Amino acid sequence: MATQIFGEMLYYPQAECLNLTEFPSPESLKNRVIISTKPPKERFESNRIKDNGNYPVLDGSSESSEDESSGQESPDSANEVEIKSTNGRDRDEGETSSCECDQRLFQECSPDYKSIITIHNKKLKGSLKDKLKTDGELRRLSWSETTLEKASESHGTDIIRFTQKNILRVYPRATRVKSSNFKPYLGWMYGAQMVAFNMQGVGKSLWLMQGMFRANGGCGYVKKPEILMQKLHCDHEFDPTRIMPVKKTLKVKLYMGHGWSLDFSPTHFDMFSPPDFYSEVGIVGMPCDITKKKTKVIMDNWFPVWNEEFEFPLTVPEIALLQIQVKDRDPTGKDDFAGQTCLPVSELRSGFRSVPLYNEKGEQFKSVKLLMSFQFE
């Protein structure tokens, strides 16, 4: 069915080079479909094992059954882990139960199907360092946010080296039952190509994702910065946790804002008076670049004029985001949201700019904008 439906759009290695050692260029893969999943035999075995209920303790030398596709802790980041029952666990890429697999075993394990899987998501043996080796065929790892957090503490440069040739997918842990999100920079700064989100809610993590992918014309793909692609040497290894010298300084001046009186009712922020607006301006990026600053509060004014300038020294401007949020000061409770935007620093241009703001869902307001200027030194 896959070959019939996708036809010539489906890309897969030819018989003479079934195990890829280097990806084709993005240009050559435009408008193509690539399948990345577990080989059929491994998928069947892992699903059959999962139906047994409870799992034994696994050590680093044994095979992980589903650490790469569920929200449970993974042996990738520790020598041992206790995996409990699968109730409520995530299933990766359409996994089926063992009963369903028994019925369709011979259909699903066709050798023809295996040959069209370009990027294998395999169960791997050995230590974490072994699983991050870059020699041999290309592959994909799928880690929960917790697995990546633990792995990055001791194998940060190995992860970056792995993602230069292979695919790393990171997803929210399964215990986020309210569909909250983790900080996506955890994956981006180690070169993860796929950082999965819970899209049901709202919040700052999704604003960062929307901001990151405003780059490159908003097409949905962003080129990985050169600093994450350069060859690593022992004496010049890139480590996101290390303090590095400042490459450039971004100067941001926030002059004024307007448009709230057109997009909001007169009583939306305050029942008896105009709103009291202030702005938060900050950088999200490498740990040493993260900072946030505030303007003064402009009382009782739909057209706030701040005229304030902020400086942000940046060590890795290539993957930094400028985050702006406007709020209405509420002395009796939580300050009211009045707009936000997130902009890739790499795409900012010097000069005066009219910057549109977005609501909590990431939808652009019709009229609300900020007058700002940017300058690099």
Side-chain angles (χ1 to χ4, degrees):
M1 289 176 63
T3 55
Q4 289 173 1
I5 292 172
F6 293 127
E8 293 184 355
M9 291 178 63
L10 182 62
Y11 172 87
Y12 54 92
Q14 300 305 311
E16 60 271 15
C17 54
L18 283 178
N19 295 329
L20 288 179
T21 56
E22 184 173 316
F23 282 122
S25 69
E27 179 68 27
S28 68
L29 294 177
K30 277 185 178 177
N31 303 313
R32 305 295 294 273
V33 173
I34 302 174
I35 296 177
S36 174
T37 186
K38 291 181 180 178
K41 183 179 179 182
E42 291 188 8
R43 175 180 295 281
F44 170 70
E45 288 176 348
S46 66
N47 286 328
R48 182 173 57 187
I49 294 171
K50 284 204 302 180
D51 242 32
N52 290 338
N54 294 323
Y55 292 79
V57 172
L58 302 176
D59 62 31
S61 63
S62 64
E63 292 188 64
S64 84
S65 62
E66 265 314 289
D67 60 285
E68 294 165 351
S69 59
S70 74
Q72 297 291 340
E73 298 311 311
S74 162
D76 288 348
S77 59
N79 289 329
E80 61 180 35
V81 61
E82 182 178 358
I83 303 180
K84 299 182 180 179
S85 68
T86 61
N87 293 337
R89 292 171 61 181
D90 296 339
R91 284 185 175 178
D92 188 24
E93 301 162 354
E95 289 176 7
T96 54
S97 69
S98 63
C99 295
E100 295 168 314
C101 269
D102 287 335
Q103 295 170 4
R104 303 201 307 247
L105 173 60
F106 296 104
Q107 293 176 335
E108 292 189 348
C109 292
S110 161
D112 292 335
Y113 171 59
K114 185 174 182 178
S115 70
I116 65 173
I117 300 175
T118 299
I119 308 173
H120 287 203
N121 183 18
K122 289 187 174 182
K123 296 184 294 183
L124 301 172
K125 296 180 179 180
S127 66
L128 177 59
K129 197 170 186 67
D130 292 333
K131 297 176 183 181
L132 291 171
K133 284 183 177 178
T134 56
D135 53 341
E137 64 179 302
L138 302 176
R139 61 190 187 277
R140 173 171 67 85
L141 292 180
S142 291
W143 285 353
S144 72
E145 57 176 291
T146 312
T147 300
L148 178 58
E149 281 178 356
K150 293 181 178 179
S152 64
E153 292 174 1
S154 55
H155 292 79
T157 54
D158 292 323
I159 297 171
I160 293 174
R161 191 179 291 109
F162 176 85
T163 59
Q164 291 177 349
K165 291 189 65 176
N166 301 276
I167 303 294
L168 176 60
R169 166 181 171 259
V170 186
Y171 54 89
R173 63 177 184 268
T175 52
R176 291 185 179 273
V177 293
K178 294 185 178 180
S179 295
S180 60
N181 281 296
F182 64 103
K183 297 177 180 178
Y185 259 90
L186 177 68
W188 292 337
M189 69 184 184
Y190 286 101
Q193 293 88 346
M194 303 166 66
V195 179
F197 288 83
N198 289 315
M199 300 297 291
Q200 304 93 319
V202 296
K204 292 183 178 179
S205 292
L206 285 177
W207 299 347
L208 293 176
M209 181 271 292
Q210 292 158 359
M212 171 67 81
F213 290 97
R214 285 194 179 103
N216 200 20
C219 70
Y221 294 87
V222 175
K223 187 177 180 180
K224 191 184 293 188
E226 188 63 31
I227 195 170
L228 292 174
M229 292 301 295
Q230 62 192 12
K231 298 297 182 182
L232 299 178
H233 305 285
C234 292
D235 53 341
H236 292 98
E237 288 187 333
F238 172 66
D239 183 352
T241 62
R242 184 186 303 160
I243 297 178
M244 292 170 285
V246 173
K247 279 188 180 179
K248 62 175 64 175
T249 298
L250 171 63
K251 289 186 175 182
V252 177
K253 187 161 186 178
L254 179 52
Y255 293 95
M256 61 171 292
H258 67 93
W260 287 280
S261 61
L262 300 175
D263 291 351
F264 294 87
S265 70
T267 58
H268 178 87
F269 296 105
D270 293 297
M271 187 65 66
F272 304 108
S273 64
D276 309 322
F277 287 135
Y278 69 94
S279 291
E280 295 177 341
V281 184
I283 293 291
V284 180
M286 292 297 171
C288 53
D289 289 343
I290 295 174
T291 185
K292 183 167 65 175
K293 302 177 181 182
K294 286 184 181 181
T295 67
K296 57 183 176 288
V297 179
I298 305 299
M299 304 296 292
D300 300 328
N301 200 323
W302 284 99
F303 303 92
V305 176
W306 292 287
N307 279 332
E308 294 190 47
E309 187 174 62
F310 306 103
E311 290 190 5
F312 300 103
L314 302 172
T315 61
V316 189
E318 298 93 332
I319 57 174
L321 296 174
L322 177 66
Q323 191 169 36
I324 305 164
Q325 188 175 359
V326 180
K327 296 180 180 179
D328 166 52
R329 174 61 54 83
D330 186 349
T332 62
K334 184 179 178 181
D335 293 347
D336 299 318
F337 174 85
Q340 60 84 21
T341 190
C342 198
L343 305 170
V345 170
S346 62
E347 300 225 342
L348 294 179
R349 298 296 175 261
S350 296
F352 294 93
R353 296 289 182 265
S354 177
V355 180
L357 295 188
Y358 299 79
N359 64 19
E360 290 180 291
K361 294 181 180 179
E363 302 163 337
Q364 185 175 327
F365 288 125
K366 184 178 180 180
S367 308
V368 179
K369 295 178 174 65
L370 300 176
L371 178 60
M372 307 183 68
S373 69
F374 307 114
Q375 181 181 348
F376 289 98
E377 290 185 351

